[in-house]
Amino acid sequence: MSDALAAFKETMSRLRAMHGVYLSIRSSTTSALDLSDFLRSEIVLAVSALDFFIHRIVLEGMLEIFDGNRPNTSGYSKFGMPILSVRNKTDEEIRSSFSIEVQQSHSFLSFQRPDKIADAVRKFSSIELWNSVGVYLGKSPKDVKMSLELLVDRRNKIAHEADIDPTFGASRWTISEEDVTRSIDLVEEICVAIYQVTR
């Protein structure tokens, strides 16, 4: 298993444990205590896990190309490094510099939306990402991408708008345990699929 997938699975395990804490608190308190922000935070963390996974798998894939263990791609060929990063350095130092350059160049990028994820994957794989993911999951690529878009939209409402419904003053959008479970499952399905189809 790759480091990217192992780290992703660990993150998702922590997220599911957090949901377990929510369920435990909910079962031992009355409905008068509003625990919905636990659920909101799980949505944010699920999308964060996706973003983290894409950053890691892209780095791994690009290093595999660098090492000669994966075919070159047009996306990889467009990646540039300053000449000073390689001058008078050993092979290991050059590889380390390359890894740092990839991480730094991607550090300000968000890999959450389907098109951004596909762009990132092109840096180490030439597959038609969402077609391949759809086949792997037994779903249409359009449905997979739409589900992800809706999840990211919801995450953005929570992260950037305090999940406030502007049509009803200061009230928040409703959220349910089912919303969160579906979101976590979706992220896990997509990331595992991306890992499998890009191997």
Side-chain angles (χ1 to χ4, degrees):
M1 181 188 310
S2 76
D3 290 342
L5 187 62
F8 171 74
K9 286 184 176 286
E10 172 60 26
T11 302
M12 296 306 285
S13 177
R14 289 181 11 243
L15 181 51
R16 291 188 189 280
M18 181 178 173
H19 189 67
V21 171
Y22 159 80
L23 292 173
S24 178
I25 295 171
R26 190 204 63 191
S27 68
S28 61
T29 58
T30 70
S31 59
L33 181 61
D34 182 3
L35 299 174
S36 63
D37 282 337
F38 273 90
L39 299 175
R40 290 181 177 86
S41 67
E42 289 179 52
I43 296 277
V44 173
L45 289 172
V47 175
S48 176
L50 166 70
D51 195 353
F52 168 74
F53 171 74
I54 299 301
H55 276 87
R56 293 289 295 268
I57 199 170
V58 169
L59 174 61
E60 278 185 10
M62 291 180 74
L63 283 170
E64 287 173 5
I65 295 173
F66 183 90
D67 293 336
N69 297 325
R70 176 185 282 272
N72 199 351
T73 67
S74 60
Y76 177 88
S77 295
K78 292 175 185 171
F79 184 81
M81 276 182 65
I83 192 66
L84 293 178
S85 298
V86 297
R87 184 176 291 160
N88 300 322
K89 291 189 176 178
T90 66
D91 288 349
E92 191 55 39
E93 288 171 332
I94 293 170
R95 187 182 192 278
S96 177
S97 293
F98 177 76
S99 176
I100 291 167
E101 286 292 329
V102 170
Q103 291 175 73
Q104 288 179 344
S105 70
H106 293 168
S107 64
F108 64 95
L109 300 177
S110 173
F111 299 138
Q112 300 172 3
R113 298 284 183 185
D115 59 336
K116 298 296 184 187
I117 293 172
D119 287 345
V121 168
R122 282 188 203 96
K123 294 182 179 181
F124 73 96
S125 175
S126 298
I127 64 167
E128 291 293 328
L129 180 66
W130 295 110
N131 289 341
S132 299
V133 167
V135 169
Y136 182 85
L137 295 176
K139 300 177 180 178
S140 80
K142 182 178 178 181
D143 288 347
V144 175
K145 290 192 290 183
M146 181 58 70
S147 295
L148 180 55
E149 287 282 3
L150 291 172
L151 173 57
V152 174
D153 286 344
R154 185 60 194 270
R155 176 262 176 203
N156 288 345
K157 281 184 174 67
I158 296 167
H160 302 301
E161 301 169 11
D163 213 26
I164 301 295
D165 179 352
T167 60
F168 292 103
S171 65
R172 291 172 296 172
W173 295 100
T174 59
I175 192 166
S176 69
E177 290 175 31
E178 293 75 21
D179 294 335
V180 172
T181 300
R182 276 195 305 272
S183 298
I184 293 172
D185 289 346
L186 174 68
V187 166
E188 195 148 34
E189 286 179 356
I190 287 174
C191 290
V192 169
I194 290 172
Y195 173 76
Q196 293 294 342
V197 302
T198 57
R199 290 300 86 206

PDB file of all heavy atoms in Angstrom, residues 119-141:
ATOM      1  N   ASP A 119      -6.871  17.449 -13.069  1.00  0.00           N
ATOM      2  CA  ASP A 119      -5.658  18.176 -13.483  1.00  0.00           C
ATOM      3  C   ASP A 119      -4.446  17.699 -12.689  1.00  0.00           C
ATOM      4  O   ASP A 119      -3.360  17.518 -13.246  1.00  0.00           O
ATOM      5  CB  ASP A 119      -5.831  19.687 -13.264  1.00  0.00           C
ATOM      6  CG  ASP A 119      -6.773  20.331 -14.263  1.00  0.00           C
ATOM      7  OD1 ASP A 119      -7.078  19.691 -15.294  1.00  0.00           O
ATOM      8  OD2 ASP A 119      -7.224  21.468 -14.006  1.00  0.00           O
ATOM      9  N   ALA A 120      -4.640  17.504 -11.392  1.00  0.00           N
ATOM     10  CA  ALA A 120      -3.535  17.068 -10.539  1.00  0.00           C
ATOM     11  C   ALA A 120      -3.074  15.667 -10.924  1.00  0.00           C
ATOM     12  O   ALA A 120      -1.874  15.405 -11.044  1.00  0.00           O
ATOM     13  CB  ALA A 120      -3.966  17.099  -9.072  1.00  0.00           C
ATOM     14  N   VAL A 121      -4.015  14.770 -11.151  1.00  0.00           N
ATOM     15  CA  VAL A 121      -3.680  13.381 -11.479  1.00  0.00           C
ATOM     16  C   VAL A 121      -2.933  13.303 -12.811  1.00  0.00           C
ATOM     17  O   VAL A 121      -2.072  12.444 -12.995  1.00  0.00           O
ATOM     18  CB  VAL A 121      -4.945  12.506 -11.470  1.00  0.00           C
ATOM     19  CG1 VAL A 121      -4.699  11.133 -12.093  1.00  0.00           C
ATOM     20  CG2 VAL A 121      -5.459  12.347 -10.034  1.00  0.00           C
ATOM     21  N   ARG A 122      -3.217  14.222 -13.742  1.00  0.00           N
ATOM     22  CA  ARG A 122      -2.518  14.221 -15.039  1.00  0.00           C
ATOM     23  C   ARG A 122      -1.015  14.439 -14.888  1.00  0.00           C
ATOM     24  O   ARG A 122      -0.249  14.177 -15.812  1.00  0.00           O
ATOM     25  CB  ARG A 122      -3.096  15.299 -15.952  1.00  0.00           C
ATOM     26  CG  ARG A 122      -4.403  14.909 -16.592  1.00  0.00           C
ATOM     27  CD  ARG A 122      -4.853  15.914 -17.646  1.00  0.00           C
ATOM     28  NE  ARG A 122      -6.288  15.817 -17.820  1.00  0.00           N
ATOM     29  CZ  ARG A 122      -7.195  16.585 -17.221  1.00  0.00           C
ATOM     30  NH1 ARG A 122      -6.813  17.566 -16.427  1.00  0.00           N
ATOM     31  NH2 ARG A 122      -8.468  16.394 -17.428  1.00  0.00           N
ATOM     32  N   LYS A 123      -0.587  14.903 -13.734  1.00  0.00           N
ATOM     33  CA  LYS A 123       0.844  15.111 -13.518  1.00  0.00           C
ATOM     34  C   LYS A 123       1.590  13.797 -13.332  1.00  0.00           C
ATOM     35  O   LYS A 123       2.816  13.779 -13.368  1.00  0.00           O
ATOM     36  CB  LYS A 123       1.069  16.038 -12.329  1.00  0.00           C
ATOM     37  CG  LYS A 123       0.552  17.444 -12.612  1.00  0.00           C
ATOM     38  CD  LYS A 123       0.794  18.390 -11.475  1.00  0.00           C
ATOM     39  CE  LYS A 123       0.267  19.783 -11.872  1.00  0.00           C
ATOM     40  NZ  LYS A 123       0.484  20.783 -10.838  1.00  0.00           N
ATOM     41  N   PHE A 124       0.835  12.704 -13.136  1.00  0.00           N
ATOM     42  CA  PHE A 124       1.520  11.414 -13.015  1.00  0.00           C
ATOM     43  C   PHE A 124       0.797  10.267 -13.718  1.00  0.00           C
ATOM     44  O   PHE A 124       1.314   9.156 -13.775  1.00  0.00           O
ATOM     45  CB  PHE A 124       1.747  11.045 -11.535  1.00  0.00           C
ATOM     46  CG  PHE A 124       0.512  10.622 -10.787  1.00  0.00           C
ATOM     47  CD1 PHE A 124       0.208   9.267 -10.654  1.00  0.00           C
ATOM     48  CD2 PHE A 124      -0.327  11.554 -10.207  1.00  0.00           C
ATOM     49  CE1 PHE A 124      -0.911   8.862  -9.954  1.00  0.00           C
ATOM     50  CE2 PHE A 124      -1.455  11.158  -9.502  1.00  0.00           C
ATOM     51  CZ  PHE A 124      -1.744   9.803  -9.387  1.00  0.00           C
ATOM     52  N   SER A 125      -0.380  10.525 -14.290  1.00  0.00           N
ATOM     53  CA  SER A 125      -1.121   9.463 -14.973  1.00  0.00           C
ATOM     54  C   SER A 125      -1.860  10.041 -16.175  1.00  0.00           C
ATOM     55  O   SER A 125      -2.406  11.143 -16.105  1.00  0.00           O
ATOM     56  CB  SER A 125      -2.123   8.817 -14.011  1.00  0.00           C
ATOM     57  OG  SER A 125      -2.916   7.867 -14.690  1.00  0.00           O
ATOM     58  N   SER A 126      -1.899   9.266 -17.253  1.00  0.00           N
ATOM     59  CA  SER A 126      -2.560   9.721 -18.486  1.00  0.00           C
ATOM     60  C   SER A 126      -3.983   9.189 -18.633  1.00  0.00           C
ATOM     61  O   SER A 126      -4.612   9.393 -19.666  1.00  0.00           O
ATOM     62  CB  SER A 126      -1.735   9.278 -19.700  1.00  0.00           C
ATOM     63  OG  SER A 126      -0.453   9.868 -19.660  1.00  0.00           O
ATOM     64  N   ILE A 127      -4.518   8.533 -17.602  1.00  0.00           N
ATOM     65  CA  ILE A 127      -5.869   7.973 -17.716  1.00  0.00           C
ATOM     66  C   ILE A 127      -6.919   9.085 -17.761  1.00  0.00           C
ATOM     67  O   ILE A 127      -6.665  10.208 -17.327  1.00  0.00           O
ATOM     68  CB  ILE A 127      -6.202   7.021 -16.547  1.00  0.00           C
ATOM     69  CG1 ILE A 127      -6.219   7.796 -15.217  1.00  0.00           C
ATOM     70  CG2 ILE A 127      -5.249   5.848 -16.489  1.00  0.00           C
ATOM     71  CD1 ILE A 127      -6.840   7.014 -14.080  1.00  0.00           C
ATOM     72  N   GLU A 128      -8.090   8.751 -18.294  1.00  0.00           N
ATOM     73  CA  GLU A 128      -9.257   9.629 -18.188  1.00  0.00           C
ATOM     74  C   GLU A 128      -9.836   9.368 -16.803  1.00  0.00           C
ATOM     75  O   GLU A 128     -10.585   8.398 -16.602  1.00  0.00           O
ATOM     76  CB  GLU A 128     -10.269   9.317 -19.290  1.00  0.00           C
ATOM     77  CG  GLU A 128      -9.803   9.699 -20.681  1.00  0.00           C
ATOM     78  CD  GLU A 128      -9.676  11.204 -20.839  1.00  0.00           C
ATOM     79  OE1 GLU A 128     -10.447  11.953 -20.203  1.00  0.00           O
ATOM     80  OE2 GLU A 128      -8.785  11.640 -21.579  1.00  0.00           O
ATOM     81  N   LEU A 129      -9.489  10.194 -15.847  1.00  0.00           N
ATOM     82  CA  LEU A 129      -9.711   9.885 -14.439  1.00  0.00           C
ATOM     83  C   LEU A 129     -11.156   9.536 -14.105  1.00  0.00           C
ATOM     84  O   LEU A 129     -11.438   8.470 -13.553  1.00  0.00           O
ATOM     85  CB  LEU A 129      -9.244  11.039 -13.553  1.00  0.00           C
ATOM     86  CG  LEU A 129      -9.458  10.783 -12.050  1.00  0.00           C
ATOM     87  CD1 LEU A 129      -8.588   9.635 -11.568  1.00  0.00           C
ATOM     88  CD2 LEU A 129      -9.204  12.030 -11.242  1.00  0.00           C
ATOM     89  N   TRP A 130     -12.086  10.432 -14.409  1.00  0.00           N
ATOM     90  CA  TRP A 130     -13.447  10.212 -13.914  1.00  0.00           C
ATOM     91  C   TRP A 130     -14.144   9.086 -14.659  1.00  0.00           C
ATOM     92  O   TRP A 130     -14.991   8.401 -14.073  1.00  0.00           O
ATOM     93  CB  TRP A 130     -14.229  11.520 -13.915  1.00  0.00           C
ATOM     94  CG  TRP A 130     -13.617  12.468 -12.927  1.00  0.00           C
ATOM     95  CD1 TRP A 130     -12.930  13.611 -13.191  1.00  0.00           C
ATOM     96  CD2 TRP A 130     -13.564  12.286 -11.501  1.00  0.00           C
ATOM     97  NE1 TRP A 130     -12.467  14.161 -12.020  1.00  0.00           N
ATOM     98  CE2 TRP A 130     -12.842  13.384 -10.974  1.00  0.00           C
ATOM     99  CE3 TRP A 130     -14.055  11.326 -10.625  1.00  0.00           C
ATOM    100  CZ2 TRP A 130     -12.610  13.537  -9.608  1.00  0.00           C
ATOM    101  CZ3 TRP A 130     -13.818  11.470  -9.263  1.00  0.00           C
ATOM    102  CH2 TRP A 130     -13.107  12.559  -8.766  1.00  0.00           C
ATOM    103  N   ASN A 131     -13.783   8.854 -15.922  1.00  0.00           N
ATOM    104  CA  ASN A 131     -14.323   7.678 -16.609  1.00  0.00           C
ATOM    105  C   ASN A 131     -13.847   6.405 -15.910  1.00  0.00           C
ATOM    106  O   ASN A 131     -14.632   5.477 -15.682  1.00  0.00           O
ATOM    107  CB  ASN A 131     -13.884   7.655 -18.080  1.00  0.00           C
ATOM    108  CG  ASN A 131     -14.567   8.727 -18.901  1.00  0.00           C
ATOM    109  OD1 ASN A 131     -15.599   9.270 -18.515  1.00  0.00           O
ATOM    110  ND2 ASN A 131     -13.989   9.058 -20.041  1.00  0.00           N
ATOM    111  N   SER A 132     -12.564   6.365 -15.576  1.00  0.00           N
ATOM    112  CA  SER A 132     -12.001   5.189 -14.916  1.00  0.00           C
ATOM    113  C   SER A 132     -12.571   4.999 -13.517  1.00  0.00           C
ATOM    114  O   SER A 132     -12.877   3.878 -13.103  1.00  0.00           O
ATOM    115  CB  SER A 132     -10.477   5.315 -14.834  1.00  0.00           C
ATOM    116  OG  SER A 132      -9.910   5.394 -16.128  1.00  0.00           O
ATOM    117  N   VAL A 133     -12.723   6.090 -12.774  1.00  0.00           N
ATOM    118  CA  VAL A 133     -13.311   6.007 -11.430  1.00  0.00           C
ATOM    119  C   VAL A 133     -14.758   5.527 -11.522  1.00  0.00           C
ATOM    120  O   VAL A 133     -15.194   4.676 -10.734  1.00  0.00           O
ATOM    121  CB  VAL A 133     -13.219   7.373 -10.710  1.00  0.00           C
ATOM    122  CG1 VAL A 133     -14.101   7.396  -9.464  1.00  0.00           C
ATOM    123  CG2 VAL A 133     -11.774   7.676 -10.335  1.00  0.00           C
ATOM    124  N   GLY A 134     -15.497   6.052 -12.498  1.00  0.00           N
ATOM    125  CA  GLY A 134     -16.881   5.627 -12.673  1.00  0.00           C
ATOM    126  C   GLY A 134     -16.986   4.138 -12.941  1.00  0.00           C
ATOM    127  O   GLY A 134     -17.821   3.439 -12.348  1.00  0.00           O
ATOM    128  N   VAL A 135     -16.138   3.635 -13.827  1.00  0.00           N
ATOM    129  CA  VAL A 135     -16.134   2.198 -14.135  1.00  0.00           C
ATOM    130  C   VAL A 135     -15.803   1.398 -12.877  1.00  0.00           C
ATOM    131  O   VAL A 135     -16.468   0.411 -12.556  1.00  0.00           O
ATOM    132  CB  VAL A 135     -15.130   1.875 -15.271  1.00  0.00           C
ATOM    133  CG1 VAL A 135     -14.920   0.371 -15.397  1.00  0.00           C
ATOM    134  CG2 VAL A 135     -15.621   2.463 -16.590  1.00  0.00           C
ATOM    135  N   TYR A 136     -14.788   1.838 -12.144  1.00  0.00           N
ATOM    136  CA  TYR A 136     -14.378   1.127 -10.933  1.00  0.00           C
ATOM    137  C   TYR A 136     -15.515   1.063  -9.911  1.00  0.00           C
ATOM    138  O   TYR A 136     -15.718   0.039  -9.244  1.00  0.00           O
ATOM    139  CB  TYR A 136     -13.154   1.798 -10.312  1.00  0.00           C
ATOM    140  CG  TYR A 136     -12.634   1.100  -9.095  1.00  0.00           C
ATOM    141  CD1 TYR A 136     -11.743   0.031  -9.204  1.00  0.00           C
ATOM    142  CD2 TYR A 136     -13.036   1.487  -7.814  1.00  0.00           C
ATOM    143  CE1 TYR A 136     -11.265  -0.632  -8.078  1.00  0.00           C
ATOM    144  CE2 TYR A 136     -12.568   0.833  -6.684  1.00  0.00           C
ATOM    145  CZ  TYR A 136     -11.684  -0.229  -6.821  1.00  0.00           C
ATOM    146  OH  TYR A 136     -11.230  -0.881  -5.702  1.00  0.00           O
ATOM    147  N   LEU A 137     -16.256   2.165  -9.778  1.00  0.00           N
ATOM    148  CA  LEU A 137     -17.334   2.233  -8.784  1.00  0.00           C
ATOM    149  C   LEU A 137     -18.667   1.717  -9.314  1.00  0.00           C
ATOM    150  O   LEU A 137     -19.636   1.610  -8.549  1.00  0.00           O
ATOM    151  CB  LEU A 137     -17.508   3.682  -8.299  1.00  0.00           C
ATOM    152  CG  LEU A 137     -16.329   4.281  -7.527  1.00  0.00           C
ATOM    153  CD1 LEU A 137     -16.606   5.740  -7.198  1.00  0.00           C
ATOM    154  CD2 LEU A 137     -16.068   3.492  -6.250  1.00  0.00           C
ATOM    155  N   GLY A 138     -18.736   1.437 -10.625  1.00  0.00           N
ATOM    156  CA  GLY A 138     -20.004   0.990 -11.203  1.00  0.00           C
ATOM    157  C   GLY A 138     -21.036   2.099 -11.261  1.00  0.00           C
ATOM    158  O   GLY A 138     -22.239   1.860 -11.147  1.00  0.00           O
ATOM    159  N   LYS A 139     -20.554   3.338 -11.435  1.00  0.00           N
ATOM    160  CA  LYS A 139     -21.437   4.513 -11.485  1.00  0.00           C
ATOM    161  C   LYS A 139     -21.051   5.337 -12.706  1.00  0.00           C
ATOM    162  O   LYS A 139     -19.957   5.209 -13.239  1.00  0.00           O
ATOM    163  CB  LYS A 139     -21.284   5.370 -10.227  1.00  0.00           C
ATOM    164  CG  LYS A 139     -21.627   4.646  -8.938  1.00  0.00           C
ATOM    165  CD  LYS A 139     -21.370   5.543  -7.736  1.00  0.00           C
ATOM    166  CE  LYS A 139     -21.701   4.842  -6.431  1.00  0.00           C
ATOM    167  NZ  LYS A 139     -21.412   5.681  -5.262  1.00  0.00           N
ATOM    168  N   SER A 140     -21.949   6.223 -13.105  1.00  0.00           N
ATOM    169  CA  SER A 140     -21.601   7.086 -14.224  1.00  0.00           C
ATOM    170  C   SER A 140     -20.616   8.157 -13.740  1.00  0.00           C
ATOM    171  O   SER A 140     -20.737   8.640 -12.604  1.00  0.00           O
ATOM    172  CB  SER A 140     -22.839   7.758 -14.819  1.00  0.00           C
ATOM    173  OG  SER A 140     -23.231   8.870 -14.044  1.00  0.00           O
ATOM    174  N   PRO A 141     -19.629   8.509 -14.572  1.00  0.00           N
ATOM    175  CA  PRO A 141     -18.681   9.562 -14.180  1.00  0.00           C
ATOM    176  C   PRO A 141     -19.395  10.863 -13.799  1.00  0.00           C
ATOM    177  O   PRO A 141     -19.002  11.532 -12.849  1.00  0.00           O
ATOM    178  CB  PRO A 141     -17.824   9.754 -15.427  1.00  0.00           C
ATOM    179  CG  PRO A 141     -17.955   8.489 -16.199  1.00  0.00           C
ATOM    180  CD  PRO A 141     -19.325   7.965 -15.900  1.00  0.00           C
TER     181      PRO A 141
END
